[in-house]
Amino acid sequence: MRHNPIHSMRGRLTVLLAAVLIFVCIQPAVYAADDIVNGLELDAASSTLSLFVGDSTELSALASYQGYVNKREVTASATWKTTDSSVATVSQGSVRIVGAGSARVSATYAGFSATVQINATYAYDSISLSKSDTGAAVGDTLDATLGSTLKLLASGMKNSASNDLTSSATWSSSNTAVATVEKGAITLVGAGKTTITAAYKGKSSTVTLQVKSPYQSLTISPNDLIELKVEGSSAKLTASVKTAAGSTENVTTSTDTVWTSSNETVATVTDDGEVEPVAAGTAVITASRYGVSDTVTVVVRPEFQAMKITPDANLDMLVQDSPASLTVSVLDAAGATKDITKDAVWTSTNVMVATVSEGVVTPMSAGTATIRASYKGLSKEVQVTVYPPVVSIAVSTTELDAIIGDNKSLPTVTGTAFGGEKTNVTSLVHWTSSDEEVLTVKDGKWEAKKAGTAVLTATARSLKATVTVTVYPKPLLLSTDSEDLSLIIGKETDLPKIKVTNVDGTEEDVTSKVKWKSTSDNLLLQSTKMKGLVASRVNLTATYLNKSVTIRITIEEEIVKLAVDPAALTLNIGKTKAVKVTGTYKSGKTIQLATKMKWTVGSESVARMTTSTIKALAVGATTITGEYQGKTVTIALTVVPKLKTFVGSDKSVNMAVGAAYTLKVKAFYDNGSWIDATTLSDWTSSKPSVATVVNGVVTATGKGTASIKATFQGKIVSVHITVK
């Protein structure tokens, strides 16, 4: 038979289409974000739900999409509402019935809504309570006695029919300190009042339970303060109750009597009232039974008043040291001391570091441990530090400067172990002073007593280290001969001289002892010299025994010339005059130096120089010298009194031609002195053709009148001359 290719192709297409249809049908719906919702429904069994108050149910919201057969659950995305929240509440489809009545619950999603009708009723018309032993209904109140048992039954009433709800109801007590309740079974806890409630699906019933003790009181005997000793005898207590009828019963060992201690680290109490001392302190013992109780205070005292361990300071040891012995003693009530070293309980917190037996401490390895001695409630302890074996010791400093009265901690001592490790062994060494009049050692400190030198020696076994201490008088002031200095760039200059004045009035040049510090690297400091490297201003500070003085340094070019203005000067007493000094550098630049000069006055009784101003003090003459960079300028100063009045011997003179006449003038000063100023004055004639004048001598040269004037220190005297 001939094969038909067309028929074969059709067959294959048919199979392929069938497979595609099967694949599509079994695939779940896949929704896109922009799919169109065309309906919403709830999966409730009916459009109307009948439920009891207290019930709950879950609703789901299902959305239909255009082009899809399957529905999509949108419960969490939908908006849920209830028409009456006093009947039903709803949250994301969870419906809870809270009251009787009707309400409609709806879900809204993408503009579509679906609703369900809720009709809610109570499962029972009422709940009633009754006693389980008698079946009698309880009223509003119920009395009970501690120690008795009580169980209630809960019944639900519906259309005159009763149903036992004891196990399914929710039971509660308003005061669990009085009574607790579970499935109607009431446990009486203490005297008082509480409300017992049984609730089931919106209905409940309550009864007020009044719980009383069967006793009037409980009494502990003995009831006074109980005194016990640590590790001493116990005390026996008894408990008795007074019944409602007035009789007395011993309940010390009764299983319902509860004995407790407020502080079991001090004293414990057994179920039969036996009080055992534990440690020093106080505790309150309580006995309780069915709502009545009583207490008694117990004080536990050490047998001894106090304990002392010797030595009581921390113990420092080397691994290679021999064992050290501690002793411990106690003080009894009578004030007597008792050595209990062998009777005490000795313990070490770290036996790898140190062990102890009857007070003998043996170092074992490097570390720390606490050694404790305990005896009948008392304890004392010391800390033991064990250092590794050291082969040498060294101090942190080998030289110290001190001031009389200094009281400072001893230097740190470092030990070098056999393996090369370094460790601080300061507390291990013993210190001594070579001269206790200069330096004393006490309680880890040294104290400077007087000026001098002493050697402190630290000793550990056979190892030693020393510190030389120099004690100085207490300094009062540090001063220098130059507070302002000028240095020429590149030129070495001696460091300034520094002097210390001590509180005892003594003075000393300490230039070689001070510590120098510059505020800039532009100033190079050497052992006794300094050199300016770059033009700048630098502060140089000298420090000696905590006192300091600062010198202002100016580093600049070399000055080749100084000029002073004025170079000569006359001043009246009390007057001042500022001078000007111009310095010229090598480069040709100039600078004003008056305030920077080092000024000296030849006669300080005549004048005083302050910065750049001269003040005249007394009549006389002196020379003022200014120095800068080794160059000097001088000012010649004359101090004179101030002219107060200037008077002549005549006011007018008549003369004949050819005649001569001598005029005299006197100068009177503010200090009370006067001089004949005739030859010192400047004389002039207004008309030499009438009269001439020389040193006060007037010569008539022609007829007429003339005015002769004498001028002296700014003042003028005039004389009228008539020649006939």
Side-chain angles (χ1 to χ4, degrees):
M1 180 181 291
R2 187 179 180 183
H3 178 69
N4 189 335
I6 296 176
H7 288 168
S8 178
M9 183 179 293
R10 286 177 177 173
R12 288 195 297 271
L13 289 172
T14 300
V15 173
L16 180 61
L17 288 172
V20 171
L21 289 172
I22 293 171
F23 177 79
V24 170
C25 290
I26 65 174
Q27 293 301 305
V30 179
Y31 301 94
D34 56 355
D35 287 338
I36 299 174
V37 177
N38 60 8
L40 185 71
E41 64 181 55
L42 301 179
D43 69 342
S46 172
S47 60
T48 300
L49 298 178
S50 295
L51 299 170
F52 290 125
V53 175
D55 286 346
S56 61
T57 187
E58 298 291 330
L59 298 178
S60 297
L62 305 175
S64 301
Y65 285 81
Q66 185 175 327
Y68 295 92
V69 176
N70 294 334
K71 296 179 177 60
R72 178 184 178 188
E73 183 178 347
V74 293
T75 305
S77 304
T79 301
W80 294 85
K81 293 183 179 179
T82 176
T83 58
D84 191 343
S85 58
S86 65
V87 174
T89 62
V90 62
S91 174
Q92 293 188 335
S94 295
V95 179
R96 188 166 66 89
I97 308 304
V98 296
S102 298
R104 294 186 67 82
V105 173
S106 64
T108 301
Y109 179 76
F112 292 88
S113 297
T115 62
V116 63
Q117 175 73 29
I118 303 292
N119 293 325
T121 58
Y122 288 105
Y124 294 95
D125 297 330
S126 62
I127 302 291
S128 63
L129 299 177
S130 61
K131 292 183 177 180
S132 65
D133 56 347
T134 63
V138 299
D140 294 336
T141 60
L142 184 63
D143 293 330
T145 302
L146 287 170
S148 62
T149 59
L150 176 64
K151 183 172 183 179
L152 299 180
L153 302 177
S155 301
M157 305 299 295
K158 184 73 172 181
N159 298 326
S160 300
S162 176
N163 188 27
D164 186 0
L165 300 177
T166 303
S167 297
S168 54
T170 300
W171 293 86
S172 64
S173 169
S174 64
N175 188 349
T176 55
V178 174
T180 60
V181 60
E182 183 176 358
K183 293 184 178 181
I186 297 175
T187 301
L188 303 177
V189 179
K193 185 185 294 185
T194 186
T195 299
I196 303 298
T197 302
Y200 184 79
K201 292 194 174 184
K203 293 293 185 178
S204 63
S205 182
T206 62
V207 61
T208 299
L209 182 63
Q210 182 71 51
V211 181
K212 299 180 180 179
S213 173
Y215 307 113
Q216 296 183 44
S217 61
L218 182 147
T219 302
I220 293 177
S221 181
N223 199 254
D224 296 329
L225 180 69
I226 297 175
E227 298 266 1
L228 299 177
K229 298 286 187 180
V230 175
E231 298 184 17
S233 301
S234 62
K236 186 69 172 68
L237 302 178
T238 60
S240 58
V241 294
K242 185 177 182 180
T243 66
S247 62
T248 300
E249 296 179 8
N250 188 319
V251 294
T252 303
T253 60
S254 173
T255 56
D256 293 324
T257 301
V258 179
W259 292 92
T260 59
S261 169
S262 65
N263 191 346
E264 292 193 344
T265 62
V266 172
T268 60
V269 61
T270 63
D271 291 341
D272 59 358
E274 189 83 17
V275 180
E276 295 282 352
V278 178
T282 60
V284 176
I285 304 299
T286 301
S288 302
R289 180 180 173 87
Y290 294 152
V292 290
S293 64
D294 194 14
T295 62
V296 63
T297 299
V298 175
V299 58
V300 180
R301 305 185 190 279
E303 183 175 342
F304 299 94
Q305 295 185 55
M307 174 183 280
K308 180 180 180 181
I309 194 167
T310 305
D312 60 356
N314 292 339
L315 192 61
D316 296 297
M317 308 177 72
L318 287 167
V319 170
Q320 63 265 45
D321 279 350
S322 301
S325 294
L326 300 176
T327 60
V328 64
S329 57
V330 292
L331 187 70
D332 64 19
T337 301
K338 178 182 179 182
D339 187 319
I340 48 98
T341 303
K342 294 186 180 298
D343 298 326
V345 177
W346 293 90
T347 58
S348 168
T349 59
N350 191 341
V351 294
M352 293 297 294
V353 173
T355 60
V356 61
S357 176
E358 295 185 351
V360 178
V361 180
T362 303
M364 305 301 292
S365 63
T368 59
T370 299
I371 303 299
R372 180 180 293 109
S374 301
Y375 185 74
K376 293 190 175 182
L378 296 176
S379 65
K380 281 288 184 178
E381 59 186 37
V382 294
Q383 181 171 295
V384 176
T385 302
V386 179
Y387 295 86
V390 295
V391 296
S392 66
I393 60 174
V395 288
S396 55
T397 181
T398 58
E399 292 186 355
L400 286 173
D401 289 335
I403 300 170
I404 295 174
D406 277 353
N407 189 355
K408 297 183 179 181
S409 298
L410 289 161
T412 300
V413 182
T414 302
T416 302
F418 178 75
E421 303 87 357
K422 304 290 186 182
T423 185
N424 188 327
V425 295
T426 304
S427 59
L428 187 66
V429 301
H430 173 67
W431 288 92
T432 56
S433 170
S434 64
D435 188 342
E436 293 201 344
E437 290 188 358
V438 174
L439 206 69
T440 60
V441 177
K442 185 179 180 181
D443 298 331
K445 291 187 174 183
W446 57 261
E447 183 176 1
K449 293 293 188 179
K450 74 172 187 177
T453 300
V455 177
L456 291 174
T457 301
T459 303
R461 294 173 65 88
S462 61
L463 305 175
K464 295 182 183 297
T466 61
V467 181
T468 301
V469 182
T470 303
V471 181
Y472 297 93
K474 187 173 182 179
L476 178 64
L477 176 69
L478 209 61
S479 58
T480 178
D481 58 353
S482 302
E483 293 184 355
D484 289 275
L485 286 177
S486 170
L487 300 186
I488 300 171
I489 296 174
K491 184 178 179 181
E492 283 190 347
T493 305
D494 289 337
L495 286 165
K497 296 293 184 182
I498 304 298
K499 180 178 68 176
V500 65
T501 302
N502 299 312
V503 293
D504 59 5
T506 60
E507 294 182 347
E508 181 185 357
D509 186 327
V510 292
T511 305
S512 61
K513 299 178 181 179
V514 300
K515 293 181 179 179
W516 298 97
K517 185 177 180 180
S518 170
T519 58
S520 172
D521 292 336
N522 293 342
L523 181 64
L524 176 63
L525 298 177
Q526 298 168 325
S527 58
T528 60
K529 302 282 186 179
M530 57 182 174
K531 181 191 292 185
L533 305 178
V534 179
S536 57
R537 295 181 185 274
V538 179
N539 283 341
L540 177 63
T541 300
T543 302
Y544 175 75
L545 299 178
N546 297 324
K547 296 293 182 179
S548 297
V549 63
T550 298
I551 300 100
R552 294 177 291 275
I553 305 290
T554 301
I555 304 172
E556 57 190 339
E557 295 180 58
E558 183 178 359
I559 297 290
V560 295
K561 184 175 69 173
L562 292 177
V564 64
D565 181 28
L569 184 62
T570 299
L571 290 176
N572 295 131
I573 297 172
K575 294 298 182 179
T576 60
K577 176 67 176 180
V579 299
K580 179 179 179 182
V581 179
T582 303
T584 303
Y585 291 118
K586 269 187 176 182
S587 63
K589 293 181 180 179
T590 59
I591 183 173
Q592 295 304 312
L593 298 173
T595 59
K596 301 179 181 180
M597 303 290 289
K598 182 179 179 181
W599 295 100
T600 56
V601 180
S603 176
E604 294 183 349
S605 64
V606 174
R608 180 174 67 240
M609 191 73 178
T610 304
T611 310
S612 61
T613 301
I614 302 171
K615 183 173 184 179
L617 302 177
V619 174
T622 189
T623 298
I624 298 174
T625 303
E627 185 270 332
Y628 192 80
Q629 281 194 12
K631 293 180 172 53
T632 61
V633 292
T634 58
I635 302 169
L637 174 65
T638 302
V639 180
V640 296
K642 184 178 180 180
L643 180 61
K644 188 173 183 181
T645 57
F646 184 47
V647 297
S649 57
D650 301 276
K651 291 184 177 180
S652 63
V653 176
N654 294 320
M655 299 177 66
V657 176
Y661 188 83
T662 300
L663 297 175
K664 296 288 187 180
V665 289
K666 291 181 180 180
F668 293 88
Y669 293 95
D670 57 359
N671 65 350
S673 65
W674 65 273
I675 62 172
D676 184 341
T678 303
T679 59
L680 299 175
S681 300
D682 292 329
W683 294 88
T684 59
S685 171
S686 63
K687 286 184 180 182
S689 60
V690 174
T692 60
V693 62
V694 176
N695 290 335
V697 179
V698 180
T699 302
T701 57
K703 293 182 179 180
T705 59
S707 178
I708 301 298
K709 291 183 178 180
T711 303
F712 181 71
Q713 294 183 1
K715 292 188 178 294
I716 300 173
V717 171
S718 296
V719 181
H720 184 73
I721 301 296
T722 302
V723 179
K724 297 181 179 179

